[in-house]
């Protein structure tokens, strides 16, 4: 069993994703008859039961933790900076992301042809990637290098 019935994967990656879904990244996904996954109704109560069985009674899903604990309701007001949201627009998860820049240092890059994780490769783009993903990798690398240089300079002063 998993908190993500679509299949969160195995090994440590799957365990980490499963734990996140049981704590701060609660994702109320149910599947309809039209879904590619077996139909099932999602309830907070069933998720809580699963999570406590899997991770212990002290684990209770907190659906609004990112908003209440980390200030995601107003990132600018909390003084947040240097966040880069990358979104493959062919991925349904992009619908829950920031699709526009929030400030000068909370940025959103959208990839029209990007799919789930296609924008997250740590090795760089391949010849199989679309042009927007290849260009995006250059953009992301440039932004991160700039931010790292700024942080280095700030720490030296």
């Amino acid at each position: 069993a998993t908190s993500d019935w679509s299949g969160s994967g195995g090994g440590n990656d799957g365990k980490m994703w499963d734990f996140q879904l049981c704590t701060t990244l609660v994702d109320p996904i149910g599947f309809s008859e039209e879904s590619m996954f077996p139909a099932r109704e999602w309830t907070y109560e069933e998720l809580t039961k699963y999570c406590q069985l899997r991770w212990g009674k002290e684990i209770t899903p907190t659906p609004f933790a990112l908003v209440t604990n980390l200030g995601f309701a107003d990132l600018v007001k909390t003084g947040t900076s240097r966040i880069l949201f990358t979104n493959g627009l062919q991925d349904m998860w992009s619908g829950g992301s920031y699709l526009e820049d929030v400030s000068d240092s909370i940025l959103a890059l959208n990839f029209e042809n990007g799919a789930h994780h296609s924008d997250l490769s740590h090795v760089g783009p391949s010849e199989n990637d679309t042009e927007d993903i290849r260009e995006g990798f250059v953009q992301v690398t440039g932004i991160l290098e700039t931010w790292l240089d700024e942080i280095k300079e700030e720490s030296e002063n």
Side-chain angles (χ1 to χ4, degrees), residues 3 16 25 34 36 46 61 89 114 138 149-150 156:
S3 58
M16 288 184 293
L25 292 177
E34 291 80 36
M36 67 182 201
E46 286 299 316
L89 299 180
V138 172
D149 288 345
E150 289 172 0
E156 291 173 353

Side-chain angles (χ1 to χ4, degrees), residues 96-111:
S97 184
Y98 290 91
L99 299 176
E100 297 178 7
D101 293 349
V102 176
S103 72
D104 291 341
S105 68
I106 303 174
L107 309 176
L109 293 179
N110 301 307
F111 306 102

Side-chain angles (χ1 to χ4, degrees), residues 25 27 66 72 85-89 91-99:
L25 292 177
D27 196 0
L66 293 176
F72 267 58
F85 295 98
T86 62
N87 305 294
L89 299 180
D91 182 355
M92 69 171 208
W93 298 110
S94 65
S97 184
Y98 290 91
L99 299 176

